[in-house]
Amino acid sequence: MSDFDAIIVGGGLAGLTTAYLLAKADAEVLLIERGNFAGAKNMTGGRLYSHSLEKIIPGFAGEAPVERRIIREKISLMTDDSSVTVDYYSPGLTLPGQDSYSVLRADFDQWLAGKAEDAGAQIVTGIKVDDVLRENGQVFGIIAGGDEMTAGVTVLADGVNSLLAQKIGLRAELPPHQVAVGVKEVIELPAGVIEDRFQCPSGEGSAWLFAGQPSGGKVGGGFLYTNKESVSLGVVCTLSDLITGAATLPRLLENFKNHPSVAPLVVGGKMIEYSGHLVPEGGLDMAPRLFDAGVLTTGDAAGFCINLGYTVRGMDFAVGSGECAAQAILAAKQAGDFSAETLGCYKTALDESFIMKEMNMYRKFPHFMENTPRIFAGYPEMASDLMNQLFVVNGRDQRHLYQKAGRSLKTVGALNLTLDALKGVRAL
Ligand SMILES: Cc1cc2nc3c(=O)[nH]c(=O)nc-3n(C[C@H](O)[C@H](O)[C@H](O)COP(=O)(O)OP(=O)(O)OC[C@H]3O[C@@H](n4cnc5c(N)ncnc54)[C@H](O)[C@@H]3O)c2cc1C
């Protein structure tokens, strides 16, 4: 007889969702988080797409500590001294089920941990899980702080660098080109200043992604999300580029913050938090074995994250995979069988959910990003040159618009542009 039906390693959104759902179904569940509280070590850009959590806790945004509902989307292509921005505002962004919210994980994860505890889950913080217990390939619990605890299923919800999944051979070490590093500053500003600068009413906000200058022309980009009384400003770069490149990530963030298009947005603000974290960017190609006898991997530990350049999603996948894990554990508990065969229903649940459908759909996108450096160094310059041709009037240039546009196109070449567009469309 095991101590618990399930032991969950990691109190991020993936682990907490599983804990909440299992506890609600009267399963005996223990979640162990190494941080001093759930969310203490967690970081995101970040914007949470609501759809997956809404299914589990309807109306959650009314009670959870969300920051602002996102009503404005912006994307900028940036050179060192210019930026070209698409600005999209639409009430469609806020319709139930397709709304999204800026969040700060230290607050948000603690709220979800509270929900799980209220439902009956046991949550222990400040303890790191050191190893899993295994016999004849069957995982049957964990070792933490020198103690052994047993469970029918152990859930590895321990984030992108899941050392436990590596330890038991579910995944290899992360290759540097499949993982990015993000650094973020939370910059405090009065709510009214945020609403003026980002053209948002009270309680609503803006999500803004940037390509080109923020990552020094390499794969990656910058982000800015408005919170209630702060903005989250950060840069993400592929680890392999950081290893071989000259610039450090803190330097890139400083350059981004001082860009003439960004500096006025944060001027007068006070940095109140600085954090760094890995991001899984390899898509399905970096997914580990998702389950084995007595063990499941969820969220970032399973590589469930997609960065499409115009949107970054990991939190809705963490919640969705946490739900699939809970379903599989309850089915295994019911059958009294925690073998790999029975836990295979986890993969079936993932396949039937948005998770595998979208991970499969965007499978080629990480390759497209990696093999199309012009997105980060080439197109931003081209867009800036084109805007310069359109908007600069000096009385000396009497060429037609198509001639001016042709000159800008030459900076990357019409053929390259066509091929990249075709490849991009196919990858999306
Ligand atoms: C810079 C950046 C920007 C991002 N922007 C967005 C965004 O805007 N929108 C979005 O949806 N996603 C975004 N993501 C991705 C998103 O944050 C992640 O996909 C999501 O947080 C994954 O949740 P998780 O629960 O799987 O993992 P995590 O949140 O990483 O949680 C893992 C937990 O496990 C704990 N842990 C690890 N090892 C152990 C151990 N041995 N013992 C005990 N506990 C352990 C950790 O302390 C942590 O609490 C971003 C990520 C980064 C880094």
Side-chain angles (χ1 to χ4, degrees):
M1 184 71 185
S2 302
D3 300 327
F4 296 93
D5 294 317
I7 294 178
I8 299 165
V9 185
L13 294 186
L16 291 168
T17 301
T18 309
Y20 171 73
L21 288 170
L22 288 178
K24 250 183 85 178
D26 291 330
E28 289 294 322
V29 52
L30 171 70
L31 183 147
I32 304 178
E33 163 57 43
R34 67 180 172 172
N36 289 334
F37 55 88
K41 290 188 173 283
N42 300 347
M43 171 197 174
T44 191
R47 172 243 293 268
L48 169 72
Y49 288 95
S50 73
H51 66 105
S52 50
L53 191 54
E54 185 64 28
K55 208 173 131 211
I56 295 166
I57 308 177
F60 78 90
E63 63 166 289
V66 295
E67 294 292 316
R68 287 175 185 262
R69 185 168 67 156
I70 302 299
I71 52 155
R72 190 162 220 124
E73 304 278 351
K74 294 190 186 192
I75 300 179
S76 293
L77 291 179
M78 285 176 123
T79 67
D80 285 345
D81 60 1
S82 72
S83 61
V84 178
T85 300
V86 174
D87 181 348
Y88 178 62
Y89 171 88
S90 163
L93 293 170
T94 62
L95 293 179
Q98 53 193 49
D99 45 347
S100 65
Y101 298 86
S102 52
V103 292
L104 293 167
R105 294 289 299 277
D107 297 334
F108 194 81
D109 291 15
Q110 278 189 85
W111 166 79
L112 193 52
K115 297 290 286 184
E117 278 181 322
D118 289 349
Q122 291 186 50
I123 298 187
V124 176
T125 56
I127 292 184
K128 177 172 159 279
V129 173
D130 299 310
D131 212 338
V132 295
L133 297 167
R134 262 193 311 171
E135 196 171 60
N136 301 325
Q138 178 85 30
V139 173
F140 64 95
I142 54 103
I143 305 175
D147 290 331
E148 294 190 356
M149 276 160 274
T150 59
V153 182
T154 300
V155 181
L156 303 182
D158 49 346
V160 49
N161 195 20
S162 176
L163 297 176
L164 295 173
Q166 271 181 48
K167 236 178 188 170
I168 59 173
L170 291 182
R171 75 173 325 147
E173 205 173 314
L174 293 173
H177 70 283
Q178 288 187 335
V179 63
V181 191
V183 283
K184 173 175 102 167
E185 284 187 14
V186 178
I187 301 170
E188 191 177 51
L189 283 166
V193 170
I194 293 174
E195 283 142 25
D196 287 348
R197 287 184 189 173
F198 295 91
Q199 299 164 285
C200 298
S202 172
E204 305 202 308
S206 164
W208 199 337
L209 297 179
F210 304 80
Q213 184 263 4
S215 55
K218 303 283 190 199
V219 179
F223 59 84
L224 193 161
Y225 296 96
T226 54
N227 305 315
K228 273 186 185 141
E229 294 189 331
S230 63
V231 297
S232 296
L233 182 82
V235 169
V236 175
C237 266
T238 307
L239 187 54
S240 50
D241 282 333
L242 286 170
I243 293 168
T244 53
T248 64
L249 210 45
R251 180 73 259 159
L252 289 171
L253 178 54
E254 212 47 38
N255 293 345
F256 176 47
K257 204 166 66 168
N258 290 323
H259 189 280
S261 300
V262 175
L265 300 171
V266 294
V267 68
K270 181 177 149 212
M271 199 239 283
I272 52 171
E273 189 186 307
Y274 193 93
S275 54
H277 206 279
L278 294 175
V279 197
E281 296 235 308
L284 263 193
D285 287 355
M286 72 179 292
R289 262 182 30 238
L290 296 169
F291 65 94
D292 208 340
V295 65
L296 305 176
T297 57
T298 59
D300 273 10
F304 293 145
C305 188
I306 47 176
N307 177 359
L308 299 177
Y310 56 88
T311 183
V312 182
R313 289 171 55 195
M315 290 188 281
D316 58 328
F317 283 83
V319 170
S321 59
E323 183 190 13
C324 293
Q327 284 168 12
I329 294 165
L330 291 173
K333 181 181 177 224
Q334 172 102 25
D337 174 9
F338 300 103
S339 64
E341 289 70 33
T342 306
L343 287 175
C345 63
Y346 174 50
K347 177 68 173 37
T348 313
L350 288 169
D351 285 341
E352 286 168 0
S353 74
F354 72 95
I355 297 171
M356 279 304 175
K357 289 180 186 149
E358 298 200 33
M359 292 297 293
N360 270 308
M361 189 159 90
Y362 299 121
R363 175 168 215 144
K364 291 184 184 155
F365 200 74
H367 299 283
F368 169 68
M369 295 272 251
E370 201 182 330
N371 298 320
T372 317
R374 279 183 290 270
I375 297 173
F376 308 97
Y379 292 127
E381 287 77 8
M382 186 192 84
S384 169
D385 191 62
L386 184 61
M387 292 300 133
N388 193 274
Q389 305 278 335
L390 284 182
F391 293 115
V392 171
V393 175
N394 57 19
R396 295 193 302 273
D397 187 350
Q398 276 77 39
R399 288 173 305 152
H400 286 288
L401 181 58
Y402 74 87
Q403 290 171 310
K404 292 179 177 181
R407 200 205 86 163
S408 301
L409 272 181
K410 270 192 195 140
T411 57
V412 290
L415 183 62
N416 283 333
L417 184 64
T418 313
L419 289 176
D420 290 347
L422 277 174
K423 276 194 290 176
V425 167
R426 280 199 203 115
L428 284 170

